[in-house]
Amino acid sequence: MNDNVDRIDDIVESIAPVLGMESIEKAAEPPEVQHPLVLEVKHVNGGYRTPGLIGRGKYHQVLFDVDFNIRHGEIMGLVGESGTGKSTLAKMILGMEKPEQGQIIHYTKRPQIIFQDPYSSLNPAYSVEWSLEEPLRVFGKYDEPERKRRVREMLARVELPEECLYAKPSELSGGQRQRVSIAAALIRRPRFIIADEPVSALDVTIQAQILQLLRDLREELDLSYLFISHDLNVVYQLCDRVLVMKKGRIVEQGTVDEVYDHPKEEYTKQLLAAAQ
Ligand SMILES: Nc1ncnc2c1ncn2[C@@H]1O[C@H](COP(=O)(O)OP(=O)(O)OP(=O)(O)O)[C@@H](O)[C@H]1O
Ligand SMILES: [Mg+2]
């Protein structure tokens, strides 16, 4: 399913210039065929297997019967204490780890991820321009002027000046670096973004700016997000719905207002009390 959707997107994108189509999004995804969901996670169990000398090694289950969906255009929060399995779930959605049981169904192009540490998506040895251009080079569909045009367009979308293109990641501020890694995630025009603690390393003022940018990009590029955070206040500001995870299980989910105003689970109450 995922691969087919990706392939069709790629074909449409590659023929769009030939047909003189200005907007690839318009050509690829007319609104009337848009699926109401971007993602379904169905009863997923999964974890890690330590390599064994004999057989498949020891299995450590991290996720237990995880079941939820994300609707088109929505920002879904995922909260829970450290080590509970949030990043493991992100890796499964991205296809970097396989569930032992259950299903993960994508209704959009392959999602992209924004990490807490922008260096995870940027090569410290190269300029920002190089890092942003690289996925397009690997993709192999665009000539150099088109790649440069796309890189500049994306840089403008994340509201960075052109000088940033020529800097190495270490020469930028933390907030600028995170804007670049958002641009890197968006350069292949995904429709669904997983953000794993994207503002946790930033101070409060810069956090607010990046959250505003994520909101604006949702509108401009018609994105949906899974937004992972320890910080319940940040999730309250940004998200439409929220999943509360405890020890690899979703113990509560609902709209942010429902869950924050009327938490059902003791664990959610504790998390909210700790965030006061
Ligand atoms: N590559 C791996 N191999 C084996 N075990 C792992 C691996 N990555 C994570 N784990 C284990 O899986 C469990 C969940 O980790 P995970 O990183 O998903 O938690 P998290 O909720 O993202 O935590 P944090 O909020 O600190 O980022 C932990 O017990 C962790 O030790
Ligand atoms: Mg994590």
Side-chain angles (χ1 to χ4, degrees):
M1 171 81 193
N2 187 3
D3 284 349
N4 284 342
V5 171
D6 223 18
R7 221 172 295 136
I8 291 164
D9 281 344
D10 289 350
I11 292 167
V12 173
E13 208 171 330
S14 62
I15 62 170
V18 180
L19 299 175
M21 291 173 180
E22 270 175 24
S23 162
I24 285 137
E25 276 84 4
K26 270 188 217 141
E29 289 173 58
E32 60 271 23
V33 297
Q34 205 128 50
H35 198 280
L37 299 179
V38 290
L39 176 76
E40 265 185 291
V41 175
K42 290 180 158 182
H43 301 290
V44 162
N45 290 300
Y48 299 96
R49 221 168 260 288
T50 46
L53 287 174
I54 308 162
R56 294 169 70 201
K58 198 168 172 299
Y59 177 55
H60 164 49
Q61 186 164 353
V62 175
L63 300 177
F64 297 85
D65 198 28
V66 172
D67 197 81
F68 65 95
N69 59 47
I70 299 184
R71 299 174 195 142
H72 176 90
E74 118 175 304
I75 308 186
M76 176 68 100
L78 172 59
V79 300
E81 64 200 358
S82 185
T84 199
K86 303 182 298 295
S87 297
T88 302
L89 177 59
K91 284 188 252 178
M92 288 204 182
I93 295 171
L94 288 164
M96 292 156 64
E97 298 285 343
K98 291 268 169 290
E100 285 285 312
Q101 283 170 325
Q103 259 186 310
I104 296 177
I105 305 170
H106 292 272
Y107 294 99
T108 66
K109 284 173 108 160
R110 199 160 286 136
Q112 297 291 320
I113 187 159
I114 304 165
F115 295 103
Q116 175 175 350
D117 170 15
Y119 284 106
S120 313
S121 46
L122 305 175
N123 189 324
Y126 290 91
S127 69
V128 165
E129 183 175 34
W130 189 94
S131 284
L132 292 182
E133 217 183 310
E134 180 60 6
L136 298 178
R137 250 190 310 266
V138 171
F139 201 31
K141 268 191 348 204
Y142 306 118
D143 61 13
E144 196 179 345
E146 177 60 15
R147 293 199 302 264
K148 301 256 183 255
R149 191 192 68 71
R150 284 176 178 244
V151 164
R152 277 158 184 75
E153 184 201 319
M154 201 46 81
L155 199 79
R157 281 212 187 272
V158 299
E159 296 156 15
L160 285 175
E162 195 170 335
E163 300 87 82
C164 287
L165 282 181
Y166 313 112
K168 299 234 176 85
S170 61
E171 293 161 356
L172 301 174
S173 70
Q176 286 175 325
R177 249 194 317 271
Q178 197 53 295
R179 283 175 191 269
V180 172
S181 66
I182 292 170
L186 292 174
I187 197 89
R188 275 211 53 196
R189 304 187 180 203
R191 308 307 294 266
F192 171 38
I193 294 282
I194 301 176
D196 193 351
E197 305 274 7
V199 297
S200 306
L202 304 171
D203 70 47
V204 177
T205 321
I206 308 296
Q207 269 193 5
Q209 292 170 8
I210 298 288
L211 294 177
Q212 187 58 48
L213 175 67
L214 292 174
R215 262 187 227 110
D216 294 344
L217 290 169
R218 162 168 69 164
E219 299 302 320
E220 289 166 23
L221 302 175
D222 194 19
L223 297 170
S224 310
Y225 299 107
L226 175 64
F227 183 88
I228 301 174
S229 181
H230 284 92
D231 188 331
L232 273 75
N233 293 313
V234 165
V235 168
Y236 187 74
Q237 288 171 50
L238 185 73
C239 299
D240 304 303
R241 286 196 294 153
V242 61
L243 305 163
V244 181
M245 185 181 265
K246 180 186 181 190
K247 295 188 178 153
R249 292 176 197 276
I250 306 291
V251 292
E252 184 153 4
Q253 59 175 301
T255 66
V256 167
D257 286 336
E258 276 164 19
V259 172
Y260 281 57
D261 293 345
H262 307 287
K264 292 194 191 81
E265 293 295 318
E266 194 50 41
Y267 181 68
T268 313
K269 290 177 191 165
Q270 285 168 16
L271 286 181
L272 286 166
Q276 293 291 309

mmCIF file with all atom_site columns, all heavy atoms in Angstrom, residues 56-78:
data_model
loop_
_atom_site.group_PDB
_atom_site.id
_atom_site.type_symbol
_atom_site.label_atom_id
_atom_site.label_alt_id
_atom_site.label_comp_id
_atom_site.label_asym_id
_atom_site.label_entity_id
_atom_site.label_seq_id
_atom_site.pdbx_PDB_ins_code
_atom_site.Cartn_x
_atom_site.Cartn_y
_atom_site.Cartn_z
_atom_site.occupancy
_atom_site.B_iso_or_equiv
_atom_site.pdbx_formal_charge
_atom_site.auth_seq_id
_atom_site.auth_comp_id
_atom_site.auth_asym_id
_atom_site.auth_atom_id
_atom_site.pdbx_PDB_model_num
ATOM 1   N N   . ARG A 1 56 ? 17.062  -16.223 17.338 1.00 0.00 ? 56 ARG A N   1
ATOM 2   C CA  . ARG A 1 56 ? 16.758  -14.817 17.102 1.00 0.00 ? 56 ARG A CA  1
ATOM 3   C C   . ARG A 1 56 ? 17.053  -13.928 18.299 1.00 0.00 ? 56 ARG A C   1
ATOM 4   O O   . ARG A 1 56 ? 16.709  -12.756 18.308 1.00 0.00 ? 56 ARG A O   1
ATOM 5   C CB  . ARG A 1 56 ? 15.287  -14.682 16.712 1.00 0.00 ? 56 ARG A CB  1
ATOM 6   C CG  . ARG A 1 56 ? 14.970  -15.344 15.377 1.00 0.00 ? 56 ARG A CG  1
ATOM 7   C CD  . ARG A 1 56 ? 13.477  -15.437 15.140 1.00 0.00 ? 56 ARG A CD  1
ATOM 8   N NE  . ARG A 1 56 ? 12.893  -14.134 14.891 1.00 0.00 ? 56 ARG A NE  1
ATOM 9   C CZ  . ARG A 1 56 ? 11.600  -13.861 15.044 1.00 0.00 ? 56 ARG A CZ  1
ATOM 10  N NH1 . ARG A 1 56 ? 10.778  -14.783 15.464 1.00 0.00 ? 56 ARG A NH1 1
ATOM 11  N NH2 . ARG A 1 56 ? 11.143  -12.652 14.794 1.00 0.00 ? 56 ARG A NH2 1
ATOM 12  N N   . GLY A 1 57 ? 17.606  -14.464 19.373 1.00 0.00 ? 57 GLY A N   1
ATOM 13  C CA  . GLY A 1 57 ? 17.961  -13.643 20.523 1.00 0.00 ? 57 GLY A CA  1
ATOM 14  C C   . GLY A 1 57 ? 16.785  -13.389 21.441 1.00 0.00 ? 57 GLY A C   1
ATOM 15  O O   . GLY A 1 57 ? 15.689  -13.882 21.224 1.00 0.00 ? 57 GLY A O   1
ATOM 16  N N   . LYS A 1 58 ? 17.045  -12.588 22.488 1.00 0.00 ? 58 LYS A N   1
ATOM 17  C CA  . LYS A 1 58 ? 16.027  -12.356 23.515 1.00 0.00 ? 58 LYS A CA  1
ATOM 18  C C   . LYS A 1 58 ? 15.131  -11.195 23.083 1.00 0.00 ? 58 LYS A C   1
ATOM 19  O O   . LYS A 1 58 ? 15.620  -10.188 22.597 1.00 0.00 ? 58 LYS A O   1
ATOM 20  C CB  . LYS A 1 58 ? 16.737  -12.017 24.819 1.00 0.00 ? 58 LYS A CB  1
ATOM 21  C CG  . LYS A 1 58 ? 15.882  -12.169 26.038 1.00 0.00 ? 58 LYS A CG  1
ATOM 22  C CD  . LYS A 1 58 ? 16.763  -12.101 27.301 1.00 0.00 ? 58 LYS A CD  1
ATOM 23  C CE  . LYS A 1 58 ? 15.940  -12.065 28.572 1.00 0.00 ? 58 LYS A CE  1
ATOM 24  N NZ  . LYS A 1 58 ? 15.057  -10.943 28.684 1.00 0.00 ? 58 LYS A NZ  1
ATOM 25  N N   . TYR A 1 59 ? 13.835  -11.371 23.293 1.00 0.00 ? 59 TYR A N   1
ATOM 26  C CA  . TYR A 1 59 ? 12.869  -10.358 22.851 1.00 0.00 ? 59 TYR A CA  1
ATOM 27  C C   . TYR A 1 59 ? 12.448  -9.501  24.033 1.00 0.00 ? 59 TYR A C   1
ATOM 28  O O   . TYR A 1 59 ? 12.076  -10.006 25.086 1.00 0.00 ? 59 TYR A O   1
ATOM 29  C CB  . TYR A 1 59 ? 11.655  -11.067 22.237 1.00 0.00 ? 59 TYR A CB  1
ATOM 30  C CG  . TYR A 1 59 ? 10.548  -10.140 21.799 1.00 0.00 ? 59 TYR A CG  1
ATOM 31  C CD1 . TYR A 1 59 ? 10.787  -9.091  20.916 1.00 0.00 ? 59 TYR A CD1 1
ATOM 32  C CD2 . TYR A 1 59 ? 9.247   -10.319 22.272 1.00 0.00 ? 59 TYR A CD2 1
ATOM 33  C CE1 . TYR A 1 59 ? 9.764   -8.255  20.509 1.00 0.00 ? 59 TYR A CE1 1
ATOM 34  C CE2 . TYR A 1 59 ? 8.215   -9.486  21.866 1.00 0.00 ? 59 TYR A CE2 1
ATOM 35  C CZ  . TYR A 1 59 ? 8.482   -8.460  20.989 1.00 0.00 ? 59 TYR A CZ  1
ATOM 36  O OH  . TYR A 1 59 ? 7.463   -7.629  20.587 1.00 0.00 ? 59 TYR A OH  1
ATOM 37  N N   . HIS A 1 60 ? 12.510  -8.183  23.840 1.00 0.00 ? 60 HIS A N   1
ATOM 38  C CA  . HIS A 1 60 ? 12.082  -7.249  24.881 1.00 0.00 ? 60 HIS A CA  1
ATOM 39  C C   . HIS A 1 60 ? 10.908  -6.463  24.299 1.00 0.00 ? 60 HIS A C   1
ATOM 40  O O   . HIS A 1 60 ? 11.090  -5.628  23.419 1.00 0.00 ? 60 HIS A O   1
ATOM 41  C CB  . HIS A 1 60 ? 13.277  -6.353  25.228 1.00 0.00 ? 60 HIS A CB  1
ATOM 42  C CG  . HIS A 1 60 ? 12.930  -5.110  25.985 1.00 0.00 ? 60 HIS A CG  1
ATOM 43  N ND1 . HIS A 1 60 ? 12.137  -5.124  27.105 1.00 0.00 ? 60 HIS A ND1 1
ATOM 44  C CD2 . HIS A 1 60 ? 13.260  -3.813  25.777 1.00 0.00 ? 60 HIS A CD2 1
ATOM 45  C CE1 . HIS A 1 60 ? 12.005  -3.880  27.550 1.00 0.00 ? 60 HIS A CE1 1
ATOM 46  N NE2 . HIS A 1 60 ? 12.668  -3.065  26.749 1.00 0.00 ? 60 HIS A NE2 1
ATOM 47  N N   . GLN A 1 61 ? 9.700   -6.782  24.775 1.00 0.00 ? 61 GLN A N   1
ATOM 48  C CA  . GLN A 1 61 ? 8.515   -6.122  24.220 1.00 0.00 ? 61 GLN A CA  1
ATOM 49  C C   . GLN A 1 61 ? 8.407   -4.705  24.777 1.00 0.00 ? 61 GLN A C   1
ATOM 50  O O   . GLN A 1 61 ? 8.537   -4.477  25.983 1.00 0.00 ? 61 GLN A O   1
ATOM 51  C CB  . GLN A 1 61 ? 7.241   -6.915  24.546 1.00 0.00 ? 61 GLN A CB  1
ATOM 52  C CG  . GLN A 1 61 ? 6.031   -6.309  23.850 1.00 0.00 ? 61 GLN A CG  1
ATOM 53  C CD  . GLN A 1 61 ? 4.819   -7.235  23.815 1.00 0.00 ? 61 GLN A CD  1
ATOM 54  O OE1 . GLN A 1 61 ? 4.921   -8.404  24.212 1.00 0.00 ? 61 GLN A OE1 1
ATOM 55  N NE2 . GLN A 1 61 ? 3.696   -6.730  23.339 1.00 0.00 ? 61 GLN A NE2 1
ATOM 56  N N   . VAL A 1 62 ? 8.191   -3.748  23.891 1.00 0.00 ? 62 VAL A N   1
ATOM 57  C CA  . VAL A 1 62 ? 8.094   -2.332  24.290 1.00 0.00 ? 62 VAL A CA  1
ATOM 58  C C   . VAL A 1 62 ? 6.670   -1.816  24.099 1.00 0.00 ? 62 VAL A C   1
ATOM 59  O O   . VAL A 1 62 ? 6.146   -1.098  24.945 1.00 0.00 ? 62 VAL A O   1
ATOM 60  C CB  . VAL A 1 62 ? 9.087   -1.476  23.466 1.00 0.00 ? 62 VAL A CB  1
ATOM 61  C CG1 . VAL A 1 62 ? 8.919   0.005   23.770 1.00 0.00 ? 62 VAL A CG1 1
ATOM 62  C CG2 . VAL A 1 62 ? 10.526  -1.902  23.744 1.00 0.00 ? 62 VAL A CG2 1
ATOM 63  N N   . LEU A 1 63 ? 6.020   -2.188  22.986 1.00 0.00 ? 63 LEU A N   1
ATOM 64  C CA  . LEU A 1 63 ? 4.677   -1.669  22.683 1.00 0.00 ? 63 LEU A CA  1
ATOM 65  C C   . LEU A 1 63 ? 3.636   -2.776  22.849 1.00 0.00 ? 63 LEU A C   1
ATOM 66  O O   . LEU A 1 63 ? 3.861   -3.913  22.417 1.00 0.00 ? 63 LEU A O   1
ATOM 67  C CB  . LEU A 1 63 ? 4.631   -1.138  21.245 1.00 0.00 ? 63 LEU A CB  1
ATOM 68  C CG  . LEU A 1 63 ? 5.603   0.006   20.938 1.00 0.00 ? 63 LEU A CG  1
ATOM 69  C CD1 . LEU A 1 63 ? 5.514   0.394   19.462 1.00 0.00 ? 63 LEU A CD1 1
ATOM 70  C CD2 . LEU A 1 63 ? 5.340   1.224   21.818 1.00 0.00 ? 63 LEU A CD2 1
ATOM 71  N N   . PHE A 1 64 ? 2.526   -2.409  23.475 1.00 0.00 ? 64 PHE A N   1
ATOM 72  C CA  . PHE A 1 64 ? 1.479   -3.382  23.779 1.00 0.00 ? 64 PHE A CA  1
ATOM 73  C C   . PHE A 1 64 ? 0.137   -2.890  23.236 1.00 0.00 ? 64 PHE A C   1
ATOM 74  O O   . PHE A 1 64 ? -0.399  -1.877  23.710 1.00 0.00 ? 64 PHE A O   1
ATOM 75  C CB  . PHE A 1 64 ? 1.353   -3.558  25.303 1.00 0.00 ? 64 PHE A CB  1
ATOM 76  C CG  . PHE A 1 64 ? 2.596   -4.115  25.946 1.00 0.00 ? 64 PHE A CG  1
ATOM 77  C CD1 . PHE A 1 64 ? 3.646   -3.265  26.309 1.00 0.00 ? 64 PHE A CD1 1
ATOM 78  C CD2 . PHE A 1 64 ? 2.730   -5.479  26.189 1.00 0.00 ? 64 PHE A CD2 1
ATOM 79  C CE1 . PHE A 1 64 ? 4.791   -3.758  26.900 1.00 0.00 ? 64 PHE A CE1 1
ATOM 80  C CE2 . PHE A 1 64 ? 3.875   -5.974  26.785 1.00 0.00 ? 64 PHE A CE2 1
ATOM 81  C CZ  . PHE A 1 64 ? 4.921   -5.123  27.141 1.00 0.00 ? 64 PHE A CZ  1
ATOM 82  N N   . ASP A 1 65 ? -0.365  -3.581  22.238 1.00 0.00 ? 65 ASP A N   1
ATOM 83  C CA  . ASP A 1 65 ? -1.709  -3.334  21.701 1.00 0.00 ? 65 ASP A CA  1
ATOM 84  C C   . ASP A 1 65 ? -1.968  -1.835  21.433 1.00 0.00 ? 65 ASP A C   1
ATOM 85  O O   . ASP A 1 65 ? -2.984  -1.280  21.846 1.00 0.00 ? 65 ASP A O   1
ATOM 86  C CB  . ASP A 1 65 ? -2.761  -3.886  22.678 1.00 0.00 ? 65 ASP A CB  1
ATOM 87  C CG  . ASP A 1 65 ? -4.118  -4.050  21.988 1.00 0.00 ? 65 ASP A CG  1
ATOM 88  O OD1 . ASP A 1 65 ? -4.139  -4.267  20.764 1.00 0.00 ? 65 ASP A OD1 1
ATOM 89  O OD2 . ASP A 1 65 ? -5.150  -3.929  22.679 1.00 0.00 ? 65 ASP A OD2 1
ATOM 90  N N   . VAL A 1 66 ? -1.034  -1.207  20.741 1.00 0.00 ? 66 VAL A N   1
ATOM 91  C CA  . VAL A 1 66 ? -1.158  0.233   20.445 1.00 0.00 ? 66 VAL A CA  1
ATOM 92  C C   . VAL A 1 66 ? -2.123  0.409   19.267 1.00 0.00 ? 66 VAL A C   1
ATOM 93  O O   . VAL A 1 66 ? -1.943  -0.204  18.210 1.00 0.00 ? 66 VAL A O   1
ATOM 94  C CB  . VAL A 1 66 ? 0.225   0.837   20.118 1.00 0.00 ? 66 VAL A CB  1
ATOM 95  C CG1 . VAL A 1 66 ? 0.086   2.263   19.623 1.00 0.00 ? 66 VAL A CG1 1
ATOM 96  C CG2 . VAL A 1 66 ? 1.109   0.772   21.358 1.00 0.00 ? 66 VAL A CG2 1
ATOM 97  N N   . ASP A 1 67 ? -3.163  1.200   19.469 1.00 0.00 ? 67 ASP A N   1
ATOM 98  C CA  . ASP A 1 67 ? -4.256  1.293   18.499 1.00 0.00 ? 67 ASP A CA  1
ATOM 99  C C   . ASP A 1 67 ? -4.778  2.731   18.440 1.00 0.00 ? 67 ASP A C   1
ATOM 100 O O   . ASP A 1 67 ? -5.293  3.244   19.429 1.00 0.00 ? 67 ASP A O   1
ATOM 101 C CB  . ASP A 1 67 ? -5.370  0.344   18.964 1.00 0.00 ? 67 ASP A CB  1
ATOM 102 C CG  . ASP A 1 67 ? -6.359  0.038   17.862 1.00 0.00 ? 67 ASP A CG  1
ATOM 103 O OD1 . ASP A 1 67 ? -6.053  -0.824  17.032 1.00 0.00 ? 67 ASP A OD1 1
ATOM 104 O OD2 . ASP A 1 67 ? -7.427  0.679   17.823 1.00 0.00 ? 67 ASP A OD2 1
ATOM 105 N N   . PHE A 1 68 ? -4.603  3.380   17.308 1.00 0.00 ? 68 PHE A N   1
ATOM 106 C CA  . PHE A 1 68 ? -5.125  4.751   17.142 1.00 0.00 ? 68 PHE A CA  1
ATOM 107 C C   . PHE A 1 68 ? -5.069  5.105   15.653 1.00 0.00 ? 68 PHE A C   1
ATOM 108 O O   . PHE A 1 68 ? -4.486  4.375   14.851 1.00 0.00 ? 68 PHE A O   1
ATOM 109 C CB  . PHE A 1 68 ? -4.308  5.782   17.950 1.00 0.00 ? 68 PHE A CB  1
ATOM 110 C CG  . PHE A 1 68 ? -2.878  5.934   17.493 1.00 0.00 ? 68 PHE A CG  1
ATOM 111 C CD1 . PHE A 1 68 ? -2.528  6.937   16.591 1.00 0.00 ? 68 PHE A CD1 1
ATOM 112 C CD2 . PHE A 1 68 ? -1.887  5.077   17.931 1.00 0.00 ? 68 PHE A CD2 1
ATOM 113 C CE1 . PHE A 1 68 ? -1.216  7.088   16.149 1.00 0.00 ? 68 PHE A CE1 1
ATOM 114 C CE2 . PHE A 1 68 ? -0.575  5.207   17.493 1.00 0.00 ? 68 PHE A CE2 1
ATOM 115 C CZ  . PHE A 1 68 ? -0.240  6.209   16.604 1.00 0.00 ? 68 PHE A CZ  1
ATOM 116 N N   . ASN A 1 69 ? -5.663  6.241   15.307 1.00 0.00 ? 69 ASN A N   1
ATOM 117 C CA  . ASN A 1 69 ? -5.482  6.734   13.940 1.00 0.00 ? 69 ASN A CA  1
ATOM 118 C C   . ASN A 1 69 ? -5.189  8.227   13.978 1.00 0.00 ? 69 ASN A C   1
ATOM 119 O O   . ASN A 1 69 ? -5.375  8.884   15.012 1.00 0.00 ? 69 ASN A O   1
ATOM 120 C CB  . ASN A 1 69 ? -6.691  6.424   13.059 1.00 0.00 ? 69 ASN A CB  1
ATOM 121 C CG  . ASN A 1 69 ? -7.954  7.046   13.604 1.00 0.00 ? 69 ASN A CG  1
ATOM 122 O OD1 . ASN A 1 69 ? -7.961  8.221   13.964 1.00 0.00 ? 69 ASN A OD1 1
ATOM 123 N ND2 . ASN A 1 69 ? -9.024  6.280   13.678 1.00 0.00 ? 69 ASN A ND2 1
ATOM 124 N N   . ILE A 1 70 ? -4.689  8.731   12.861 1.00 0.00 ? 70 ILE A N   1
ATOM 125 C CA  . ILE A 1 70 ? -4.464  10.175  12.726 1.00 0.00 ? 70 ILE A CA  1
ATOM 126 C C   . ILE A 1 70 ? -5.240  10.641  11.506 1.00 0.00 ? 70 ILE A C   1
ATOM 127 O O   . ILE A 1 70 ? -5.138  10.045  10.424 1.00 0.00 ? 70 ILE A O   1
ATOM 128 C CB  . ILE A 1 70 ? -2.965  10.509  12.595 1.00 0.00 ? 70 ILE A CB  1
ATOM 129 C CG1 . ILE A 1 70 ? -2.234  10.034  13.855 1.00 0.00 ? 70 ILE A CG1 1
ATOM 130 C CG2 . ILE A 1 70 ? -2.762  12.016  12.384 1.00 0.00 ? 70 ILE A CG2 1
ATOM 131 C CD1 . ILE A 1 70 ? -0.766  10.370  13.903 1.00 0.00 ? 70 ILE A CD1 1
ATOM 132 N N   . ARG A 1 71 ? -6.043  11.684  11.716 1.00 0.00 ? 71 ARG A N   1
ATOM 133 C CA  . ARG A 1 71 ? -6.892  12.179  10.625 1.00 0.00 ? 71 ARG A CA  1
ATOM 134 C C   . ARG A 1 71 ? -6.149  13.201  9.786  1.00 0.00 ? 71 ARG A C   1
ATOM 135 O O   . ARG A 1 71 ? -5.242  13.877  10.292 1.00 0.00 ? 71 ARG A O   1
ATOM 136 C CB  . ARG A 1 71 ? -8.150  12.832  11.219 1.00 0.00 ? 71 ARG A CB  1
ATOM 137 C CG  . ARG A 1 71 ? -8.979  11.859  12.019 1.00 0.00 ? 71 ARG A CG  1
ATOM 138 C CD  . ARG A 1 71 ? -10.137 12.566  12.706 1.00 0.00 ? 71 ARG A CD  1
ATOM 139 N NE  . ARG A 1 71 ? -10.693 11.682  13.728 1.00 0.00 ? 71 ARG A NE  1
ATOM 140 C CZ  . ARG A 1 71 ? -11.123 12.086  14.907 1.00 0.00 ? 71 ARG A CZ  1
ATOM 141 N NH1 . ARG A 1 71 ? -11.111 13.363  15.230 1.00 0.00 ? 71 ARG A NH1 1
ATOM 142 N NH2 . ARG A 1 71 ? -11.588 11.211  15.783 1.00 0.00 ? 71 ARG A NH2 1
ATOM 143 N N   . HIS A 1 72 ? -6.595  13.315  8.573  1.00 0.00 ? 72 HIS A N   1
ATOM 144 C CA  . HIS A 1 72 ? -6.024  14.298  7.662  1.00 0.00 ? 72 HIS A CA  1
ATOM 145 C C   . HIS A 1 72 ? -6.070  15.698  8.294  1.00 0.00 ? 72 HIS A C   1
ATOM 146 O O   . HIS A 1 72 ? -7.119  16.125  8.763  1.00 0.00 ? 72 HIS A O   1
ATOM 147 C CB  . HIS A 1 72 ? -6.821  14.271  6.356  1.00 0.00 ? 72 HIS A CB  1
ATOM 148 C CG  . HIS A 1 72 ? -6.383  15.304  5.392  1.00 0.00 ? 72 HIS A CG  1
ATOM 149 N ND1 . HIS A 1 72 ? -5.408  15.079  4.464  1.00 0.00 ? 72 HIS A ND1 1
ATOM 150 C CD2 . HIS A 1 72 ? -6.740  16.595  5.249  1.00 0.00 ? 72 HIS A CD2 1
ATOM 151 C CE1 . HIS A 1 72 ? -5.206  16.175  3.779  1.00 0.00 ? 72 HIS A CE1 1
ATOM 152 N NE2 . HIS A 1 72 ? -6.002  17.118  4.232  1.00 0.00 ? 72 HIS A NE2 1
ATOM 153 N N   . GLY A 1 73 ? -4.943  16.371  8.293  1.00 0.00 ? 73 GLY A N   1
ATOM 154 C CA  . GLY A 1 73 ? -4.882  17.757  8.766  1.00 0.00 ? 73 GLY A CA  1
ATOM 155 C C   . GLY A 1 73 ? -4.758  17.916  10.268 1.00 0.00 ? 73 GLY A C   1
ATOM 156 O O   . GLY A 1 73 ? -4.693  19.029  10.773 1.00 0.00 ? 73 GLY A O   1
ATOM 157 N N   . GLU A 1 74 ? -4.690  16.818  10.988 1.00 0.00 ? 74 GLU A N   1
ATOM 158 C CA  . GLU A 1 74 ? -4.683  16.965  12.443 1.00 0.00 ? 74 GLU A CA  1
ATOM 159 C C   . GLU A 1 74 ? -3.268  16.862  13.025 1.00 0.00 ? 74 GLU A C   1
ATOM 160 O O   . GLU A 1 74 ? -2.365  16.268  12.424 1.00 0.00 ? 74 GLU A O   1
ATOM 161 C CB  . GLU A 1 74 ? -5.650  15.942  13.041 1.00 0.00 ? 74 GLU A CB  1
ATOM 162 C CG  . GLU A 1 74 ? -5.112  14.917  13.944 1.00 0.00 ? 74 GLU A CG  1
ATOM 163 C CD  . GLU A 1 74 ? -6.211  14.040  14.546 1.00 0.00 ? 74 GLU A CD  1
ATOM 164 O OE1 . GLU A 1 74 ? -7.156  14.562  15.176 1.00 0.00 ? 74 GLU A OE1 1
ATOM 165 O OE2 . GLU A 1 74 ? -6.100  12.816  14.408 1.00 0.00 ? 74 GLU A OE2 1
ATOM 166 N N   . ILE A 1 75 ? -3.107  17.461  14.197 1.00 0.00 ? 75 ILE A N   1
ATOM 167 C CA  . ILE A 1 75 ? -1.850  17.302  14.943 1.00 0.00 ? 75 ILE A CA  1
ATOM 168 C C   . ILE A 1 75 ? -2.159  16.431  16.154 1.00 0.00 ? 75 ILE A C   1
ATOM 169 O O   . ILE A 1 75 ? -2.937  16.820  17.028 1.00 0.00 ? 75 ILE A O   1
ATOM 170 C CB  . ILE A 1 75 ? -1.267  18.655  15.403 1.00 0.00 ? 75 ILE A CB  1
ATOM 171 C CG1 . ILE A 1 75 ? -1.152  19.627  14.223 1.00 0.00 ? 75 ILE A CG1 1
ATOM 172 C CG2 . ILE A 1 75 ? 0.090   18.426  16.073 1.00 0.00 ? 75 ILE A CG2 1
ATOM 173 C CD1 . ILE A 1 75 ? -0.456  20.936  14.549 1.00 0.00 ? 75 ILE A CD1 1
ATOM 174 N N   . MET A 1 76 ? -1.588  15.234  16.137 1.00 0.00 ? 76 MET A N   1
ATOM 175 C CA  . MET A 1 76 ? -1.801  14.292  17.233 1.00 0.00 ? 76 MET A CA  1
ATOM 176 C C   . MET A 1 76 ? -0.603  14.357  18.168 1.00 0.00 ? 76 MET A C   1
ATOM 177 O O   . MET A 1 76 ? 0.531   14.179  17.724 1.00 0.00 ? 76 MET A O   1
ATOM 178 C CB  . MET A 1 76 ? -1.957  12.884  16.652 1.00 0.00 ? 76 MET A CB  1
ATOM 179 C CG  . MET A 1 76 ? -2.088  11.804  17.685 1.00 0.00 ? 76 MET A CG  1
ATOM 180 S SD  . MET A 1 76 ? -3.635  11.917  18.588 1.00 0.00 ? 76 MET A SD  1
ATOM 181 C CE  . MET A 1 76 ? -4.566  10.651  17.725 1.00 0.00 ? 76 MET A CE  1
ATOM 182 N N   . GLY A 1 77 ? -0.836  14.603  19.438 1.00 0.00 ? 77 GLY A N   1
ATOM 183 C CA  . GLY A 1 77 ? 0.241   14.604  20.421 1.00 0.00 ? 77 GLY A CA  1
ATOM 184 C C   . GLY A 1 77 ? 0.451   13.190  20.958 1.00 0.00 ? 77 GLY A C   1
ATOM 185 O O   . GLY A 1 77 ? -0.481  12.390  21.002 1.00 0.00 ? 77 GLY A O   1
ATOM 186 N N   . LEU A 1 78 ? 1.677   12.907  21.365 1.00 0.00 ? 78 LEU A N   1
ATOM 187 C CA  . LEU A 1 78 ? 1.976   11.632  22.047 1.00 0.00 ? 78 LEU A CA  1
ATOM 188 C C   . LEU A 1 78 ? 2.827   11.983  23.256 1.00 0.00 ? 78 LEU A C   1
ATOM 189 O O   . LEU A 1 78 ? 3.938   12.505  23.104 1.00 0.00 ? 78 LEU A O   1
ATOM 190 C CB  . LEU A 1 78 ? 2.724   10.687  21.093 1.00 0.00 ? 78 LEU A CB  1
ATOM 191 C CG  . LEU A 1 78 ? 3.287   9.398   21.687 1.00 0.00 ? 78 LEU A CG  1
ATOM 192 C CD1 . LEU A 1 78 ? 2.208   8.532   22.322 1.00 0.00 ? 78 LEU A CD1 1
ATOM 193 C CD2 . LEU A 1 78 ? 4.025   8.588   20.607 1.00 0.00 ? 78 LEU A CD2 1
#
